[in-house]
Amino acid sequence: LLFSILNVGVGSTASELKADGKVLELDESNFDSAISSFDYILVDIYAPWCGHCKRLSPQLDEAAPVLAGLEEPIVLAKVNADKFTRLASKYDIDGYPTLKFFMHGVSMEYSGPRKADLLVQYLKKFVAPDVSILSSDSAINDFVEAAGTFFPIYIGFGLNETVVSNLAVKYKKKAWFSVAKDFSDDAMVLYDFDKVPSLVALHPSYKQQSVFYGPFEDTFLGDFIKQNLLPLVVPLNHDTLKLLKDEDRKIVLTIIADENEDQSQNLIKLLRAAASANRDLVFSYVGVKQWEDFADKFEANEKSKLPKMIVWNGDVEYLSVVGVESLDNEDQGSQISRFLEGYREGRTERKTVKGPSFMDFIHSLIGIRSVYIIVFIVAIMMLIQSIGKEDESVRDGSRGAVDGAESFGAESSRYRPEKKED
């Protein structure tokens, strides 16, 4: 009888977990079962009071049936973190909404778009074949269009899929891979290559591409693929900054007044040419007008002499090249060459960024738990300071301070969801 009852319980739970095109409501009783039941599941960990969560919810409702209808379904689900605090604690959730994408039970932070159609396009990457086989010009065009603009695209012309298969698996979360078995001369003109075999790397959002003609050995091919995961020159913002956190190459950062000025655009073209010839470095730029706080970390602001070039290690240190700290408006190409020459010859001065480190800057929004800890430490320090200043009335004063600390703890325990912020 007990065995029968248990079977009924398991059966009822399993029947609730279906990829039927609806956003699943998960809780502590069925969360682990859902993660193990579906190969691909995106979980929205939300709070009912959160405004961003309320705006995201209809987007997930719209995307859910489309993703459930894929050949390999992707299930969408949500968890009320205020109600099921154990789950929120398990995944260290300190801001809402937080999206976790589980692939075969392994979680990763979802950092893609949140509008329904773009979310669908982004997630399709994770259920696509490691290497897509394209047999015509139209198939190539359809593949590029379906891939969208979020990931770089690699197309091997005249290549066997086995040549790129290992690297396609390695970088599956970061890029699209394909090989074109049949194509016309028009495709060669369109993708700007003149012989086969060749591997073309596309960055649709930046309208950039590079071509690799070999040798098609793991080391050389791997270097090309890794280096082209980023565009030749990376415009720095909150999103692209996150892409650089795993980069082991030094970053040549050019700080300009305004990215949209004609002079800045001409300079960016020169940086692309330099980047193409110096693949061991990452080239990037940021405008003071676009991101003043970030530029200020390198002592660059509206009053500085700009453009300013530095070599940054991606964290707390950077190098300025002696004699080429900034660029004049004349012959900037030659000045960039002198800057790179000075860097490689070691004519540099080591400096430290102002404020938090690179990783701290990415995660500049302090979590709720961190806030609690900081407030608690400050309260304790104030308590100690108060005790130290008392003379004859130390005991009475300390008792009052302890009582105050206890009331502080009681108030913290009564912390209400409606007082939280996104």
Side-chain angles (χ1 to χ4, degrees):
L1 177 62
L2 179 61
F3 180 76
S4 300
I5 293 172
L6 288 174
N7 270 346
V8 170
V10 172
S12 62
T13 302
S15 65
E16 295 172 1
L17 300 176
K18 293 181 180 179
D20 57 1
K22 296 180 181 179
V23 179
L24 301 179
E25 286 274 7
L26 301 183
D27 54 39
E28 292 174 349
S29 68
N30 64 3
F31 186 89
D32 291 338
S33 178
I35 300 307
S36 61
S37 297
F38 302 109
D39 290 337
Y40 305 95
I41 178 169
L42 178 71
V43 181
D44 170 26
I45 303 174
Y46 73 97
W49 45 263
C50 165
H52 292 299
C53 302
K54 293 175 182 177
R55 289 188 287 273
L56 176 61
S57 182
Q59 300 297 325
L60 297 180
D61 290 337
E62 183 180 339
V66 181
L67 292 169
L70 298 177
E71 186 174 344
E72 288 205 55
I74 299 176
V75 175
L76 299 188
K78 57 185 177 182
V79 173
N80 183 339
D82 267 1
K83 188 175 182 180
F84 304 107
T85 56
R86 186 181 66 82
L87 286 174
S89 176
K90 178 180 178 181
Y91 291 99
D92 296 322
I93 305 302
D94 57 9
Y96 306 109
T98 293
L99 295 176
K100 291 281 188 180
F101 187 52
F102 293 84
M103 298 176 59
H104 304 286
V106 179
S107 71
M108 60 176 281
E109 198 79 25
Y110 175 87
S111 56
R114 300 186 177 189
K115 190 177 177 182
D117 56 340
L118 300 179
L119 183 144
V120 169
Q121 190 177 53
Y122 185 95
L123 286 177
K124 280 183 176 179
K125 167 76 198 75
F126 299 96
V127 297
D130 295 335
V131 181
S132 296
I133 309 301
L134 312 175
S135 57
S136 65
D137 286 6
S138 60
I140 298 170
N141 294 334
D142 291 344
F143 174 77
V144 171
E145 183 177 351
T149 60
F150 302 105
F151 300 99
I153 302 168
Y154 295 91
I155 308 175
F157 291 91
L159 279 177
N160 190 291
E161 61 268 27
T162 58
V163 175
V164 295
S165 58
N166 289 336
L167 290 165
V169 172
K170 180 178 180 180
Y171 295 109
K172 182 177 177 66
K173 297 178 181 179
K174 297 182 177 181
W176 294 89
F177 289 87
S178 66
V179 292
K181 295 291 189 180
D182 194 11
F183 51 90
S184 68
D185 292 341
D186 292 337
M188 297 181 70
V189 173
L190 179 62
Y191 294 103
D192 197 23
F193 66 98
D194 53 19
K195 63 179 180 179
V196 293
S198 62
L199 180 64
V200 175
L202 306 175
H203 278 276
S205 57
Y206 301 101
K207 297 181 180 179
Q208 294 181 20
Q209 70 178 55
S210 302
V211 182
F212 180 70
Y213 292 113
F216 292 97
E217 301 171 5
D218 283 349
T219 301
F220 299 102
L221 184 60
D223 286 345
F224 175 80
I225 289 174
K226 183 179 179 180
Q227 292 168 2
N228 281 275
L229 291 172
L230 296 170
L232 278 174
V233 182
V234 184
L236 285 192
N237 52 51
H238 287 89
D239 292 329
T240 57
L241 201 59
K242 294 176 183 177
L243 297 176
L244 294 176
K245 66 184 179 67
D246 297 325
E247 184 58 60
D248 54 10
R249 291 176 289 170
K250 293 291 190 298
I251 301 164
V252 176
L253 173 60
T254 302
I255 304 172
I256 52 184
D258 184 351
E259 297 174 6
N260 299 318
E261 291 179 348
D262 290 341
Q263 288 182 341
S264 297
Q265 291 299 313
N266 291 333
L267 175 57
I268 292 169
K269 291 179 182 178
L270 295 174
L271 292 174
R272 288 197 187 104
S276 181
N278 295 270
R279 289 288 190 169
D280 60 324
L281 299 168
V282 176
F283 283 71
S284 64
Y285 66 90
V286 66
V288 172
K289 183 176 180 179
Q290 282 71 30
W291 202 357
E292 184 177 2
D293 290 344
F294 183 79
D296 186 59
K297 289 182 170 294
F298 304 94
E299 300 179 341
N301 51 54
E302 294 178 350
K303 297 180 181 180
S304 304
K305 187 176 180 182
L306 301 174
K308 177 177 182 177
M309 291 189 73
I310 60 170
V311 178
W312 181 34
N313 72 347
D315 196 7
V316 298
E317 292 185 346
Y318 66 96
L319 302 174
S320 62
V321 175
V322 177
V324 201
E325 289 84 359
S326 59
L327 305 181
D328 297 327
N329 291 328
E330 300 296 330
D331 196 11
Q332 291 182 332
S334 297
Q335 294 173 69
I336 293 172
S337 296
R338 289 201 302 272
F339 175 89
L340 294 171
E341 181 182 0
Y343 164 67
R344 295 193 185 281
E345 292 179 356
R347 299 196 302 271
T348 59
E349 181 182 354
R350 189 177 302 276
K351 297 183 178 181
T352 304
V353 300
K354 293 168 57 178
S357 68
F358 169 54
M359 291 306 299
D360 290 336
F361 195 75
I362 290 178
H363 303 291
S364 57
L365 295 177
I366 300 175
I368 293 172
R369 293 182 184 84
S370 301
V371 173
Y372 288 164
I373 294 170
I374 292 171
V375 171
F376 180 74
I377 292 173
V378 170
I380 294 298
M381 291 176 66
M382 291 176 65
L383 174 61
I384 294 172
Q385 187 178 20
S386 173
I387 293 173
K389 289 181 179 179
E390 295 295 338
D391 294 324
E392 196 66 27
S393 57
V394 164
R395 289 195 180 92
D396 292 338
S398 62
R399 185 183 303 278
V402 170
D403 290 342
E406 289 174 351
S407 66
F408 169 81
E411 181 62 27
S412 297
S413 67
R414 294 196 297 271
Y415 191 75
R416 295 180 176 85
E418 59 268 24
K419 293 184 181 179
K420 294 181 185 177
E421 295 181 358
D422 294 3

